[in-house]
Amino acid sequence: MALFFPSYYYKSAYDIPYGKLYEKGMRGVIFDIDNTLVCHGAPADERALKLMEELKKIGLSICFLSNNKEPRVKSFNEPIGASYIYKGGKPKKAGYLKACEKMGLEKSQVFFVGDQIFTDICGANAAGLENYLVRKIGPKEEIQIVLKRIPEKPILFFYRIFCRKRCFLR
């Protein structure tokens, strides 16, 4: 089960205490995009842009890791100007390690934020990264993701029982 359990579980990517993570020694964050920062397929909105600006001010490097094709990831990133990896191959750990490399950081200095257990969290755990599971933002998802959400439910049930102190759903 450890491969499926996130390090922490938050209601939203916008609730994570990024400043405290920087104080703790973290210097980079890898984000999934769709249903983590914005609704599936949406451009970077005002809230996402504000968060990215705050992270840069704190001193955190940013890299987007997505299984989407380049046009989607590139267009989301254009107003932000961060590093990105498209067709990231999640949950394979190679994309996560490449993201660390792009930021010039050791994996102990980087954490991951995503909304899916079987791609985002499994991959981050396999790569040895601290990770933050967040609830999906919107209802629109591709069918293969909808089907993965079904077995996520019992995993999250047991996570809440065994890892209560790392679950910050407000």
Side-chain angles (χ1 to χ4, degrees):
M1 288 297 273
L3 186 65
F4 301 113
F5 280 5
S7 304
Y8 300 93
Y9 187 18
Y10 276 80
K11 182 178 179 184
S12 168
Y14 300 95
D15 294 335
I16 296 169
Y18 296 100
K20 289 181 181 179
L21 292 170
Y22 184 85
E23 290 171 11
K24 186 176 120 175
M26 293 297 187
R27 294 298 179 260
V29 55
I30 304 169
F31 282 105
D32 174 52
I33 298 171
D34 287 327
N35 265 335
T36 296
L37 293 170
V38 294
C39 289
H40 186 81
D45 59 16
E46 188 176 316
R47 187 165 79 154
L49 294 172
K50 183 180 176 188
L51 175 62
M52 296 305 125
E53 193 59 40
E54 289 173 12
L55 298 180
K56 289 177 183 179
K57 284 180 185 172
I58 290 170
L60 288 169
S61 295
I62 302 162
C63 186
F64 300 110
L65 175 61
S66 176
N67 285 345
N68 274 304
K69 295 176 182 170
E70 185 174 25
R72 165 66 181 134
V73 182
K74 183 178 181 181
S75 67
F76 179 86
N77 183 54
E78 278 178 353
I80 297 164
S83 299
Y84 67 88
I85 298 169
Y86 61 95
K87 290 188 181 180
K90 295 183 291 182
K92 294 178 185 170
K93 66 182 182 178
Y96 298 84
L97 300 177
K98 184 177 178 184
C100 294
E101 190 178 304
K102 275 188 169 234
M103 293 186 285
L105 297 169
E106 298 294 321
K107 65 183 184 179
S108 62
Q109 299 175 293
V110 177
F111 60 99
F112 177 83
V113 179
D115 69 298
Q116 293 183 60
I117 290 176
F118 294 108
T119 50
D120 297 331
I121 300 307
C122 285
N125 280 329
L129 295 176
E130 184 170 295
N131 56 77
Y132 292 74
L133 177 67
V134 295
R135 287 186 172 166
K136 69 179 183 164
I137 289 180
K140 181 184 168 191
E141 293 183 306
E142 296 172 348
I143 188 64
Q144 70 270 20
I145 297 170
V146 172
L147 294 174
K148 288 183 210 173
R149 296 285 186 197
I150 297 166
E152 282 185 354
K153 289 177 183 179
I155 292 169
L156 291 173
F157 173 80
F158 286 109
Y159 177 82
R160 287 184 187 120
I161 291 172
F162 296 117
C163 304
R164 265 181 272 152
K165 292 181 180 180
R166 298 184 306 176
C167 187
F168 299 93
L169 299 177
R170 294 180 191 117

